[in-house]
Amino acid sequence: MVKLTKIYTRGGDQGQTSLVDGSRLPKHAIRIEAYGTVDEASSVIGIARLHTAGNGAEDIDAALSRIQNDLFDLGADLATPGTDMENALRIQPQQVERLEREIDALNAELQPLNSFILPGGSAASAYLHLARTVVRRAERMTTAAAEQEPINPVAIQYLNRLSDYMFVLARYLNGRGEADVLWVPGANR
C-alpha cells in the first residue's frame, strides 16, 4: 500500500517528473501524457459513477470501481519503463479477458445498431461516452509512446477493449439501447 505523508515535493517545479524507476522525463513527454490521460479517464468514470451508485445499478457501479482500480494499475504500468513483467505492476491478459466477457454479456442484451450513436440519453451514458473518448485518446498516446520505447502491449489491448466496454455500457444504461440518441446523417441540411 502506498503511504503519502506529503502531497507536494517541489520535484516537478522545473517541468520534469519521476518515473517509478527514478528516471526523470519532461512533463510533456508522450509517456507522461499517456498515463495522465488514463488518470483523466478514471476521473470521468468517477463522474459516471455518481449516476450509477444507488440507482439500482450496484453491479455496474462495482464494475466501474474495479475499472478505476485497473486504470491506476495501468498508470503504474505506463510509469514503469522497460518490459519487466515479473517485478513491475503490469496490466495482465486476464484483465483484458474480463472486459471481453463483460462486453459480450452486456451486448447480448442490446439490439443491433442501425446507426451511429450520439452521446446522450441518460447522464450516466453521456459520461460513459465521454470516458470512451478519453480512453481512446489515452490509447492513441500509448501507441505513440510504444513507437518510441517499450510499452506493455497488454496495456494497449486493455485500453482498446475498455473504450469498447464504455460504448456498450453506455448503450446498456440507456435502457438497453432504447434511449440511445441516434445519428441521422444530413438531418439538418
Side-chain angles (χ1 to χ4, degrees), residues 5 27 31-32 35 39 42-43 68 75 81 83 91 95 111 118-119 128-129 134 144 153 160-161 172-173 179:
T5 57
K27 290 187 176 196
R31 178 184 287 272
I32 309 306
Y35 71 73
D39 186 36
S42 179
S43 296
Q68 284 184 296
T83 57
I91 292 294
Q95 291 169 287
Q111 293 297 317
L118 301 176
L128 289 170
H129 279 294
V134 175
N160 189 15
R161 221 62 85 245
Y172 182 84
L173 291 177

Side-chain angles (χ1 to χ4, degrees), residues 21-66:
D21 68 355
S23 62
R24 295 186 63 77
L25 287 176
K27 290 187 176 196
H28 60 271
I30 193 70
R31 178 184 287 272
I32 309 306
E33 289 281 351
Y35 71 73
T37 305
V38 166
D39 186 36
E40 183 182 349
S42 179
S43 296
V44 176
I45 291 169
I47 296 171
R49 289 184 64 203
L50 294 174
H51 302 281
T52 59
N55 291 325
E58 285 75 20
D59 54 333
I60 299 296
D61 187 60
L64 292 173
S65 175
R66 178 188 41 76

Side-chain angles (χ1 to χ4, degrees), residues 117-170:
I117 302 291
L118 301 176
S122 69
S125 294
Y127 282 117
L128 289 170
H129 279 294
L130 177 58
R132 173 186 55 80
T133 64
V134 175
V135 169
R136 282 285 187 216
R137 183 162 29 96
E139 180 185 13
R140 291 190 302 272
M141 292 177 169
T142 303
T143 59
E147 288 182 354
Q148 298 175 9
E149 56 190 303
I151 298 287
N152 176 11
V154 182
I156 296 169
Q157 293 169 6
Y158 185 90
L159 288 168
N160 189 15
R161 221 62 85 245
L162 182 59
S163 62
D164 295 336
Y165 181 92
M166 293 291 117
F167 178 78
V168 171
L169 183 58

